[in-house]
Amino acid sequence: LRLFALFLVFLWEVVKANFQVARLLFVSNDKIRPAIFVYPLKVHTETQILLLSSMITLTPGTLSLDVDRDSQ
């Protein structure tokens, strides 16, 4: 049940992100400012890290670069 809820939330967020990216590209005159930032993970297992990084990469306008194993 929790996995299904996660899927629904993720699906909704991907749909919202698609519209936001399209609006930025086609409607808005704002300049897009790419950035790289570090976010401390609250997950610990390899499977959780893989799932989170995949979900981040599937979201339009985002990319996962690396996981620092020393900070876990």
Side-chain angles (χ1 to χ4, degrees):
L1 185 62
R2 289 171 54 185
L3 198 58
F4 182 69
L6 173 64
F7 173 74
L8 289 179
V9 169
F10 177 68
L11 184 63
W12 175 247
E13 293 299 326
V14 167
V15 169
K16 283 188 346 188
N18 276 299
F19 283 111
Q20 289 172 346
V21 169
R23 183 175 45 91
L24 281 173
L25 292 175
F26 298 117
V27 176
S28 179
N29 290 330
D30 295 338
K31 296 209 182 247
I32 298 174
R33 289 170 272 139
I36 296 175
F37 68 94
V38 177
Y39 185 80
L41 296 179
K42 295 179 182 173
V43 295
H44 302 290
T45 67
E46 294 288 324
T47 305
Q48 291 172 332
I49 293 170
L50 176 66
L51 181 62
L52 179 62
S53 64
S54 297
M55 291 170 71
I56 289 171
T57 303
L58 285 172
T59 306
T62 61
L63 178 67
S64 298
L65 293 177
D66 192 20
V67 174
D68 183 13
R69 303 221 181 269
D70 295 335
S71 65
Q72 294 182 8

